[in-house]
Amino acid sequence: MDSDETGFEHSGLWVPVLAGLLLGACQAHPIPDSSPLLQFGGQVRQRYLYTDDAQQTEAHLEIREDGTVGGAAHQSPESLLQLKALKPGVIQILGVKTSRFLCQKPDGALYGSLHFDPEACSFRELLLENGYNVYQSEAHGRPLHLPGNKSPHRDPASGGPTRFLPLPGLPPAPPEPPGILAPQPPDVGSSDPLSMVGPSQGRSPSYAS
């Protein structure tokens, strides 16, 4: 019994030692913040920004080669956008094909610029409960809003499609494997019409005229 009690006492000494080691490990490796806002820090996403409203307006935001911004009924190379986080909740929007940044003037008009202006081209990304997002100019406070068909310079505050559904961009298609060449028709004038011997054999003397 004495030996059992002695072993039990020695084993009990390991409890505070193990507790100290575990405490030290937790202090050396803190659990990272799991805030959903921090997961967008430095993140780059390729998206199509689809918008609609009660007037049956359906369009994908696109940044064109000439710097104009409009809407396309279907997804196009100009409507594939790259959304990059500048800081939690604030992003820049770049046209993948045109390499133009989406920017907004103080009056709310949109344009595509080859140069990034932090004041004009930074948007606050606000997530809605229905899956749509609202993109608001960080400097001017105006929401991102496609120009209407009847009034291209309509004030964004007057209503209309200001919510956008970010749709994932399709990954690039894998390269097609090299095609298999169609077999050549047999040369009936050759001693090896099926090319079973090789090109070095040449023509048979029996076919010589």
Side-chain angles (χ1 to χ4, degrees):
M1 294 295 295
D2 294 340
S3 59
D4 293 341
E5 293 178 356
T6 303
F8 179 78
E9 292 176 356
H10 285 295
S11 62
L13 295 177
W14 285 100
V15 175
V17 175
L18 291 175
L21 292 175
L22 291 175
L23 180 61
C26 293
Q27 293 176 348
H29 304 283
I31 299 175
D33 195 329
S34 59
S35 171
L37 292 178
L38 295 183
Q39 66 180 340
F40 296 111
Q43 186 183 36
V44 177
R45 297 164 284 158
Q46 285 195 358
R47 295 290 187 270
Y48 295 98
L49 293 184
Y50 167 83
T51 182
D52 58 7
D53 62 4
Q55 285 73 38
Q56 305 301 320
T57 299
E58 297 184 10
H60 299 81
L61 187 149
E62 62 178 13
I63 306 175
R64 299 162 182 154
E65 293 284 355
D66 60 358
T68 59
V69 177
H74 304 285
Q75 296 178 357
S76 67
E78 288 78 13
S79 64
L80 181 59
L81 308 173
Q82 176 180 285
L83 281 60
K84 180 179 180 181
L86 303 176
K87 56 185 178 181
V90 178
I91 65 170
Q92 68 180 26
I93 302 175
L94 175 70
V96 174
K97 177 177 173 58
T98 61
S99 297
R100 287 181 176 271
F101 294 96
L102 180 66
C103 304
Q104 187 182 66
K105 297 179 181 179
D107 62 356
L110 301 175
Y111 66 96
S113 174
L114 293 174
H115 306 284
F116 177 75
D117 181 357
E119 181 175 350
C121 311
S122 299
F123 295 90
R124 188 169 297 278
E125 187 176 36
L126 307 175
L127 282 65
L128 304 180
E129 294 181 355
N130 57 4
Y132 283 78
N133 293 347
V134 172
Y135 299 93
Q136 189 178 59
S137 170
E138 187 182 25
H140 311 305
R142 287 183 174 270
L144 182 63
H145 171 75
L146 286 181
N149 295 330
K150 296 181 179 179
S151 178
H153 302 290
R154 182 176 56 179
D155 189 338
S158 63
T162 58
R163 61 176 193 171
F164 292 86
L165 182 64
L167 302 176
L170 296 177
E176 296 183 358
I180 301 176
L181 297 178
Q184 296 295 326
D187 184 4
V188 296
S190 170
S191 61
D192 184 23
L194 299 180
S195 300
M196 299 179 64
V197 177
S200 61
Q201 300 298 322
R203 294 174 62 91
S204 172
S206 62
Y207 285 87
S209 58

